[in-house]
């Protein structure tokens, strides 16, 4: 069975700083997808970034980038130039082809003014 | 493109009562998920539909929870009778079918229904 582990329950950083959220996962699959979702207080789960396991190049979306280490089964999210609007719960998630999405327990991120 | 619609947004019931949640996925999305998110935890899959067929309901407490997806569009999730530990946010999500052999990975989530059982 696949598992996703987020070891940082809560983090705080100053506005404009860079922050890295950690995630590790366990799977025997070779082809899968990894995601970071953002969940603000409105509860709407929003996709931040996705990574295909067979791609070696790390995904980047504007201020958000990942460090994907397939052998180590590690998938961290880096937020550069953090903004107050980045304050939210962040969930790391795993999905194998056409299957359910498995979430970690989340990291609560506070961006401080 | 309209998003995933869920209702109600909030519901408070007494234990042993029954409750139903409704989800209208994005038009044309074949896959529909129901997740339970207990406060402070990540979402846990309850059931996954592909069109109107169940793909995975291994974590659905079938003695009290039921779900259906009529005609492969809207879905309802029911709890009968509710327990205190059912207090959670219930999230619905949908995802489109693969196109031209390409695997579509993005799931779209609704805003959820917050259930409080007292």
């Amino acid at each position: 069975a696949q598992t996703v582990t987020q070891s940082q329950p809560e983090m705080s950083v100053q506005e404009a700083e860079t922050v890295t959220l950690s995630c590790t996962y366990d799977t025997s699959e070779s082809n899968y997808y990894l995601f970071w979702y953002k969940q603000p207080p409105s509860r709407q789960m929003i996709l931040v970034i996705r990574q295909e396991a067979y791609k070696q190049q790390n995904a980047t979306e504007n201020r958000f980038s990942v460090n994907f280490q397939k052998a180590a089964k590690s998938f961290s999210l880096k937020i550069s130039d953090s903004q107050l609007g980045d304050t939210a719960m962040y969930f790391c998630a795993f999905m194998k082809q056409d299957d359910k999405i498995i979430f970690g327990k989340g990291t609560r991120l506070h961006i401080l003014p | 493109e309209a998003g995933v619609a869920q209702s109600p947004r909030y519901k408070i019931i007494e234990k042993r009562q029954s409750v139903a949640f409704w989800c209208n996925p994005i038009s044309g999305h074949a896959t529909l998920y129901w997740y339970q998110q207990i406060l402070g935890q990540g979402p846990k899959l309850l059931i996954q539909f592909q069109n109107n067929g169940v793909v995975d309901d291994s974590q659905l407490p079938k003695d009290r929870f039921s779900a259906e997806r009529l005609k492969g569009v809207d879905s309802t999730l029911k709890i009968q009778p509710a327990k205190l530990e059912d207090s959670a946010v219930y999230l619905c999500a949908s995802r489109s079918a693969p196109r031209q052999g390409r695997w579509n990975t993005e799931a779209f989530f609704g805003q959820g229904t917050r259930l409080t059982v007292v």
Side-chain angles (χ1 to χ4, degrees):
Chain A
Q2 290 79 24
T3 59
V4 178
T5 302
Q6 293 179 250
S7 58
Q8 304 153 311
E10 197 161 0
M11 298 182 72
S12 297
V13 295
Q14 294 294 135
E15 191 177 7
E17 289 185 347
T18 294
V19 60
T20 299
L21 281 57
S22 302
C23 173
T24 57
Y25 60 95
D26 188 28
T27 184
S28 58
E29 301 285 331
S30 58
N31 188 22
Y32 51 87
Y33 279 76
L34 294 164
F35 309 89
W36 279 98
Y37 279 89
K38 171 185 178 181
Q39 188 179 42
S42 67
R43 304 199 301 261
Q44 184 112 37
M45 199 74 79
I46 302 164
L47 179 64
V48 173
I49 197 165
R50 83 190 89 181
Q51 174 78 42
E52 300 169 60
Y54 63 87
K55 288 188 176 179
Q56 292 187 336
Q57 186 174 5
N58 289 324
T60 299
E61 291 284 347
N62 301 314
R63 299 183 295 107
F64 299 87
S65 61
V66 298
N67 183 3
F68 173 48
Q69 302 290 327
K70 190 173 184 179
K73 295 180 181 175
S74 170
F75 183 61
S76 61
L77 173 70
K78 186 172 80 171
I79 305 174
S80 303
D81 185 26
S82 57
Q83 300 174 0
L84 296 178
D86 295 334
T87 293
M89 284 289 291
Y90 286 82
F91 292 96
C92 179
F94 169 100
M95 183 172 72
K96 60 181 182 179
Q97 186 164 347
D98 212 28
D99 204 348
K100 60 191 175 189
I101 304 168
I102 299 169
F103 289 87
K105 290 188 175 182
T107 296
R108 185 176 299 279
L109 177 64
H110 302 276
I111 307 300
L112 307 173
Chain B
E1 180 178 65
V4 176
Q6 288 189 248
S7 67
R9 288 292 311 276
Y10 304 91
K11 189 74 177 179
I12 301 174
I13 61 172
E14 295 181 349
K15 58 183 179 183
R16 291 186 290 275
Q17 285 188 325
S18 61
V19 64
F21 312 128
W22 174 81
C23 174
N24 184 9
I26 292 174
S27 178
H29 279 196
T31 301
L32 186 147
Y33 307 91
W34 280 103
Y35 283 87
Q36 180 193 56
Q37 186 177 17
I38 293 173
L39 185 64
Q41 298 184 20
K44 181 186 82 171
L45 180 73
L46 291 175
I47 190 167
Q48 176 184 349
F49 291 96
Q50 183 74 17
N51 296 310
N52 60 352
V54 176
V55 174
D56 186 341
D57 63 356
S58 58
Q59 297 194 82
L60 186 74
K62 298 180 185 66
D63 58 333
R64 298 184 300 106
F65 286 65
S66 64
E68 60 181 7
R69 190 181 184 195
L70 298 175
K71 301 180 181 178
V73 182
D74 292 5
S75 178
T76 55
L77 176 69
K78 297 179 181 178
I79 308 175
Q80 181 180 12
K83 293 184 176 181
L84 296 177
E85 58 261 36
D86 298 332
S87 294
V89 173
Y90 290 85
L91 295 168
C92 179
S94 69
R95 183 162 61 89
S96 65
R99 296 176 183 172
Q100 298 177 337
R102 293 197 63 182
W103 185 24
N104 190 320
T105 60
E106 184 166 3
F108 294 84
F109 285 78
Q111 290 191 291
T113 296
R114 181 182 295 280
L115 174 67
T116 302
V117 182
V118 298

